[in-house]
Amino acid sequence: MSDEIIKEEVSGKDRRSFLNLSIFISFAVAIGGALYPVIKYLLPADSTKGTEGGETFFISADDVSVGSAKLVRYKNRPTIVVRLKENEVYALSAVCTHLGCIVKWHEDAKELLCPCHAARFDLYGNVLGGPAPKPLPAYKAAVEEDRILIREA
Ligand code: FES
């Protein structure tokens, strides 16, 4: 074999190796990107077993500034945490009892409002208006040091 043919074979093998490596990396990135949100969804965030045996969930108090609300997953359910004052927090199921839309906090009215059919709830979950047939389930919530704790009422 001449030197030219050997050089072309070597360079062909390098190209194939490079292509195989590129395909492998592309697959790894695609699979990782697809699995990351699934794994993140399945793993509960920042929860521990409470002293009474019930699950206590906590988030950083810095995540919910005074006057605002944050949507979290507590016991795998959408839960809205509202911080009215520095040490006054509320946690309720965010699933509207009418047809299951996610309620939103309206600071001006100090109410939770369902964007789908305008059901309104107070911070204890009581229905203030609209078609919702039942109150929103409420949880115990408290600010302790730099965390907001949530547990079953
Ligand atoms: S789903 Fe909330 S009012 Fe209809």
Side-chain angles (χ1 to χ4, degrees), residues 96 98-101 114 116-119 131:
C96 179
H98 181 225
L99 294 176
C101 292
C114 180
C116 294
H117 311 103

Side-chain angles (χ1 to χ4, degrees), residues 43-50 55-59 73-75 147 150:
L43 293 177
D46 297 344
S47 67
T48 60
K49 289 286 178 193
E55 188 175 339
T56 300
F57 177 87
F58 57 88
I59 56 175
R73 287 194 82 78
Y74 173 59
K75 292 195 164 185
R147 300 186 307 181
I150 304 163

Side-chain angles (χ1 to χ4, degrees), residues 84-105:
L84 207 54
K85 295 178 183 165
E86 190 66 31
N87 288 312
E88 188 177 346
V89 287
Y90 300 84
L92 305 108
S93 167
V95 180
C96 179
T97 55
H98 181 225
L99 294 176
C101 292
I102 301 299
V103 298
K104 307 245 184 288
W105 168 242

